[in-house]
Amino acid sequence: LVKQCLREAKALGLKRVFALTYHPEFFKKMGFKDTDKASLPQKIWGDCLRCPKFPECDENAVIINL
């Protein structure tokens, strides 16, 4: 699924893809790198504000340049 999403993102001309995950090692095997959540688009924080885990989020942010 991730590989297909990355192919579609590339076809759409996206420059990078990020994920919030509890399993960063899975994504790292596919070329993703750790990133600071603060570097992600502000739109993400709208969803985070409604999360019961906010502000003690234990998800990891990963990113890949396409």
Side-chain angles (χ1 to χ4, degrees):
L1 289 173
V2 175
K3 287 180 183 178
Q4 181 59 32
C5 287
L6 293 175
R7 281 192 290 270
E8 288 183 27
K10 198 172 217 178
L12 290 169
L14 299 178
K15 302 286 185 214
R16 61 187 179 154
V17 172
F18 70 87
L20 295 174
T21 180
Y22 295 112
H23 304 284
E25 295 308 319
F26 170 81
F27 287 90
K28 288 178 186 179
K29 289 178 187 175
M30 303 180 94
F32 283 77
K33 306 284 185 204
D34 288 321
T35 192
D36 184 358
K37 285 185 239 179
S39 71
L40 300 178
Q42 193 171 12
K43 184 175 185 332
I44 291 302
W45 299 109
D47 292 337
C48 290
L49 291 173
R50 293 186 291 274
C51 179
K53 291 185 174 189
F54 185 80
E56 302 300 323
C57 180
D58 56 347
E59 287 183 303
N60 296 285
V62 292
I63 196 163
I64 189 170
N65 293 317
L66 300 177

